[in-house]
Amino acid sequence: MPDRGAELGVDLYWLSTVANDDLPSVANVFTDASTNLSSAGASVDALMRRPSAFGGGTSPIFEGWHGLHATTLRFLNDTVDSLEDTSRALNLAIDHYTDTDTEAKRAFDEKTAQLGAATPAPVK
């Protein structure tokens, strides 16, 4: 990647696509998975509880399930946070270069006008 000029501006556009389309689209998939995992957790927890007529409490696998569920949920949420942090960091770098290199900013703006600003794809 060049460190200045028009070629840098074009590279910044593609970096912007990663920061504002690709990474958020992947983060949306992880957010959707996290939401689905959270809603499934309540149903599964209920299945592992014994009615008081049968002694109450939870089944022997409840603690293992609960730990796995919590770990997986944390992994999904941490991944979303990391993807969003990376996107913000890339945008800060893009802003820095476009603020300090007029030729790069011109090429970046031309590419944005030609191809449009990047936006994340919705989760289906």
Side-chain angles (χ1 to χ4, degrees):
M1 189 161 133
D3 60 357
R4 69 175 71 106
E7 289 179 5
L8 173 63
V10 172
D11 286 348
L12 291 175
Y13 173 80
W14 294 115
L15 195 60
S16 175
T17 300
V18 170
N20 299 301
D21 181 357
D22 299 339
L23 293 176
S25 294
V26 173
N28 287 341
V29 172
F30 277 87
T31 299
D32 188 49
S34 175
T35 301
N36 289 329
L37 181 62
S38 292
S39 65
S43 301
V44 174
D45 281 356
L47 288 173
M48 294 188 202
R49 297 191 185 281
R50 287 188 288 255
S52 57
F54 297 105
T58 57
S59 74
I61 63 168
F62 177 78
E63 290 303 319
W65 155 254
H66 188 64
L68 177 62
H69 181 266
T71 299
T72 304
L73 192 57
R74 188 175 66 248
F75 166 76
L76 292 171
N77 291 330
D78 287 351
T79 301
V80 170
D81 290 345
S82 294
L83 290 166
E84 290 173 345
D85 289 346
T86 302
S87 180
R88 278 190 291 277
L90 290 174
N91 278 311
L92 286 172
I94 292 164
D95 290 346
H96 171 74
Y97 281 109
T98 56
D99 288 346
T100 59
D101 185 330
T102 55
E103 193 175 337
K105 178 169 178 32
R106 183 188 52 74
F108 176 83
D109 290 343
E110 285 176 4
K111 202 66 162 169
T112 300
Q114 178 186 12
L115 299 176
T119 55
V123 175
K124 295 182 182 194

